[in-house]
């Protein structure tokens, strides 16, 4: 739609789409509203829409993913997590432990994130663990501790929904629902996330191509949830100097093809504490919308991912140095 299009114009286009028996996706933007059409069995003639009031252009999307593509929406999408914009001018910093372990641990983490200048708190209450004997998370008790940490610090909460079964509960407490790498192609979970009314952070699968990643996001948007943040967290390669290989070239590749914001997780991306700070800098330099970083008040005693978790002081250094990088590349970043 044009920047001048009224809500009545948008509504008229929506009604026309629905009259044809298709689904209309109204995706708002800062300047212009984009309207996607799904459910059409074949091609629709753009001329059907071209002359309606307020329509700037009607185009056929050539990509297999539709709603996530830049063809449908040219402007960057900015996803707001409890008022914190992700995908705008400033880099968003999310820090916290891999797992919520206790009330004290998550409160201490939250204070450290806030003190460092971070805006969002991460921490899993339901953990996808390689071994069934490893710590699986505190469940609802962990979600309550996260809510307490939010209450005290005002930080928005990012936490994982592991399956459809616990999704409702996670949605109730979270400000942003994480879908983990191992679940990137869990299609029933993606469909459930499409019905959520909270933002979703979708992590790239361990061996997912860019197209598979974007198609997974398409599941969520096609369900009517347009608040999706993509997250690069490393892919599996032959390299053994790191746990995964952080694929930073996916950042500009996503930005070319999609309007969705992409953030980077250098913690799982490298799996080694000493590599997190340099790769965080590189991620911001490459244009990441934000960072997801594991930080623990006492990493050596962590119940999961301690070897890649930063000490609070190191997290503060990441925020400070990445803010400086953001300034250099002309992002509107306050210096921390
Ligand atoms: C996590 O964020 O702690 C996590 C398990 O991430 P991933 O799904 O990327 O492995
Ligand atoms: Mn982890």
């Amino acid at each position: 739609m044009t920047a001048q299009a009224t809500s009545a114009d948008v509504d008229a286009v929506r009604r026309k789409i629905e009259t044809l028996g298709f689904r209309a996706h109204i995706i708002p933007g800062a300047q212009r509203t984009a309207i996607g059409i799904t459910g059409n069995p074949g091609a629709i003639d753009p001329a059907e829409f071209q002359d309606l009031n307020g329509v700037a252009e009607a185009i056929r999307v050539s990509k297999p993913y539709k709603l996530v593509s830049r063809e449908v929406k040219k402007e960057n999408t900015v996803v707001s997590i409890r008022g914190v914009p992700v995908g705008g001018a400033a880099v968003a910093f999310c820090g916290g432990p891999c797992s919520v372990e206790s009330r004290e641990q998550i409160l201490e983490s939250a204070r450290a994130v806030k003190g460092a200048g971070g805006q969002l708190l991460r921490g899993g209450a339901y953990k996808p663990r390689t071994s069934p004997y490893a710590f699986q998370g505190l469940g609802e008790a962990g979600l309550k501790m996260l809510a307490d940490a939010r209450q005290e610090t005002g930080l928005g909460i990012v936490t994982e929904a592991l399956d459809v079964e616990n999704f409702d509960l996670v949605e109730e407490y979270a400000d942003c629902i994480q879908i983990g790498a191992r679940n990137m192609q869990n299609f029933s979970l993606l469909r459930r996330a499409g019905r959520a009314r909270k933002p979703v952070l979708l992590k790239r699968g361990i061996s997912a191509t860019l197209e598979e990643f974007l198609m997974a996001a398409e599941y969520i948007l096609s369900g009517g949830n347009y608040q999706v943040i993509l997250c690069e967290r490393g892919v599996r390669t032959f390299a053994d100097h790191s746990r995964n290989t952080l694929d930073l070239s996916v950042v500009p590749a996503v930005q070319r093809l999609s309007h969705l914001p992409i953030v980077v997780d250098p913690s799982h991306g490298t799996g080694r504490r000493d590599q997190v700070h340099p790769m965080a800098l590189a991620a911001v330099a490459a244009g990441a919308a934000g960072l997801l970083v594991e930080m623990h008040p006492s990493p050596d005693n962590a119940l999961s991912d301690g070897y890649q978790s930063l000490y609070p002081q190191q997290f503060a250094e990441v925020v400070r140095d990445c803010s400086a990088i953001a300034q250099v590349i002309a992002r509107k970043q306050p210096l921390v």
Side-chain angles (χ1 to χ4, degrees):
M1 305 296 286
T2 62
Q4 293 75 36
T6 64
S7 54
D9 294 338
V10 170
D11 213 47
V13 175
R14 179 184 59 74
R15 278 201 308 276
K16 166 134 194 186
I17 294 167
E18 289 172 357
T19 306
L20 291 168
F22 310 140
R23 180 161 182 182
H25 298 268
I26 317 289
I27 313 177
Q31 307 296 327
R32 297 165 35 157
T33 297
I35 306 178
I37 304 176
T38 59
N40 47 309
I44 309 170
D45 186 356
E48 293 245 31
F49 294 92
Q50 193 66 72
D51 297 331
L52 296 182
N53 274 343
V55 172
E57 56 175 340
I59 54 149
R60 279 203 189 115
V61 177
S62 61
K63 299 284 193 303
Y65 38 86
K66 308 286 177 200
L67 303 174
V68 310
S69 85
R70 277 237 188 249
E71 291 178 84
V72 160
K73 183 169 183 270
K74 291 187 176 59
E75 284 179 2
N76 289 340
T77 286
V78 180
V79 176
S80 170
I81 305 180
R82 202 183 156 82
V84 175
V86 181
V91 176
F93 294 97
C94 177
C98 182
S99 309
V100 181
E101 298 169 1
S102 70
R103 194 181 183 76
E104 296 63 42
Q105 176 246 19
I106 199 67
L107 282 174
E108 224 181 295
S109 302
R111 289 174 197 137
V113 169
K114 188 157 173 108
Q119 302 90 357
L120 300 166
L121 177 68
R122 60 148 291 144
Y126 298 89
K127 294 305 300 178
R129 302 305 301 280
T130 302
S131 164
Y133 309 118
F135 178 61
Q136 303 285 311
L138 296 179
E140 187 172 8
L143 293 174
K144 289 193 166 131
M145 292 169 193
L146 284 166
D148 290 346
R150 167 176 55 210
Q151 171 88 23
E152 187 192 302
T153 58
L155 295 173
I157 302 296
V158 180
T159 193
E160 178 162 355
L162 196 55
D163 47 40
V164 172
E165 235 167 70
N166 65 34
F167 201 101
D168 288 4
L169 206 52
V170 173
E171 187 178 11
E172 209 180 291
Y173 287 93
D175 297 302
C176 176
I177 303 155
Q178 177 172 324
I179 294 189
R182 292 158 193 82
N183 267 326
M184 190 203 81
Q185 285 186 316
N186 179 339
F187 298 116
S188 46
L189 190 63
L190 296 174
R191 283 192 201 284
R192 175 62 187 83
R195 294 195 300 276
R197 289 294 162 263
K198 294 237 170 111
V200 173
L201 182 125
L202 176 66
K203 296 189 108 181
R204 182 182 180 188
I206 285 165
S207 62
T209 64
L210 175 52
E211 187 165 307
E212 289 162 345
F213 192 17
L214 294 176
M215 289 301 260
E218 184 76 15
Y219 265 87
I220 304 173
L221 273 75
S222 71
N225 187 352
Y226 312 117
Q227 304 177 82
V228 174
I229 299 163
L230 302 169
C231 178
E232 161 61 25
R233 48 79 70 209
V235 291
R236 181 156 295 184
T237 68
F238 51 81
D240 57 5
H241 58 278
S242 56
R243 177 182 178 190
N244 291 296
T245 296
L246 189 64
D247 177 18
L248 287 182
S249 68
V250 85
V251 172
V254 162
Q255 289 167 342
R256 197 167 70 85
L257 297 174
S258 177
H259 55 85
L260 296 176
I262 174 149
V263 302
V264 169
D265 171 353
S267 304
H268 295 86
T270 63
R272 293 181 48 133
R273 186 180 301 131
D274 62 317
Q275 295 177 356
V276 172
H277 180 271
M279 296 314 283
L281 292 178
V284 171
L291 293 176
L292 193 69
V293 176
E294 286 188 341
M295 182 223 61
H296 194 288
S298 175
D300 306 313
N301 298 309
L303 295 181
S304 60
D305 287 352
Y307 43 84
Q308 68 191 28
S309 297
L310 299 185
Y311 290 88
Q313 180 54 34
Q314 292 178 309
F315 179 74
E317 287 160 12
V318 164
V319 175
R320 183 196 65 200
D321 296 346
C322 287
S323 301
I325 293 280
Q327 290 249 325
V328 170
I329 61 169
R331 301 271 296 257
K332 286 199 188 103
Q333 194 75 16
L335 267 177
V336 176

